[in-house]
Every structure is written in structure tokens, then in C-alpha cells.
Amino acid sequence: MAIYRVFSDADGESHIEEMTLEEHPELAAMLNVSEVRVQEFDGSRQRDYHPLPERRLIIHMSGEVKIGASDGSEIVLRAGDIRLMDDVSGKGHKHDDLSPSAAVYVLLTD
């Protein structure tokens, strides 16, 4: 299991960083949650760079998804991986399904 954060800097470029719970204890107790849902995907999603409308914590349950940041970095997420999506402005990230997948989406209000 790995935890990653996708975020935008002051210039609007997106970046990916690996995180630990020790560095971000707020991830252990999510208090400002507006919605939790489980979604399945058929493996056909391919999206160019885009920011998200709200912060999200995404917990991957199955399949593989590749996320790319505008700085050129990429990660492949698999079952058990978690990503905190903080890129709600700027260029955003790109998304490619590598297989059918399922994930838990936790929409954050903070």
C-alpha cells in the first residue's frame, strides 16, 4: 500500500508526492466528508489534464490506473493504494485506466 498526493503549486503545475500517515495524521480521521461512494469502471476512462471540483481521497480496491502530473511525473495505482487529490486548480492531472477497476471515493469539504 502506498499513499500519494496530487497537488497544484502556485504556478498551476501539478505534482505527485508520496505521503505517510506519520507526516499527515489528518488522514487517519476524516471529519469533513460530504460523500462516500464505491464506483466500478470498465477500464475505458482516458482523460487529458483536468483539475477536480473538490478535494478527494480515493482508495483503490482493484485494477490499475495511471495518473500523470503536468510536471511529467506519473504513478500507477493498484489495489490498496490511496491518493489524496488536492489539484482543484491549475492544469490538473491526466488519468488513464489500465484495466477495469473499483475505488472508494471520499469527497472532502475542507
Side-chain angles (χ1 to χ4, degrees):
M1 178 186 97
I3 304 172
Y4 298 94
R5 177 177 172 239
V6 179
F7 65 98
S8 297
D9 64 20
D11 295 325
E13 292 293 333
S14 60
H15 307 278
I16 300 169
E17 68 177 350
E18 192 162 359
M19 302 172 57
T20 65
L21 285 177
E22 293 80 24
E23 295 168 336
H24 296 275
E26 70 276 10
L27 294 177
M30 293 280 177
L31 301 177
N32 299 316
V33 173
S34 66
E35 183 179 337
V36 177
R37 63 179 179 249
V38 177
Q39 289 189 273
E40 292 183 302
F41 303 98
D42 66 6
S44 64
R45 292 178 303 160
Q46 293 187 334
R47 298 210 43 211
D48 203 1
Y49 291 100
H50 63 285
L52 292 176
E54 74 280 308
R55 294 177 68 232
R56 299 177 186 180
L57 186 73
I58 301 172
I59 305 161
H60 293 269
M61 297 175 9
S62 66
E64 292 186 336
V65 172
K66 182 168 64 172
I67 300 296
S70 64
D71 69 2
S73 59
E74 295 182 335
I75 54 170
V76 174
L77 299 144
R78 298 173 178 89
D81 290 339
I82 299 170
R83 62 183 155 127
L84 176 60
M85 302 302 291
D86 271 340
D87 63 334
V88 295
S89 63
K91 295 178 183 175
H93 65 282
K94 64 180 178 176
H95 176 115
D96 291 307
D97 283 351
L98 302 178
S99 69
S101 63
V104 176
Y105 282 69
V106 181
L107 305 187
L108 306 172
T109 59
D110 57 354

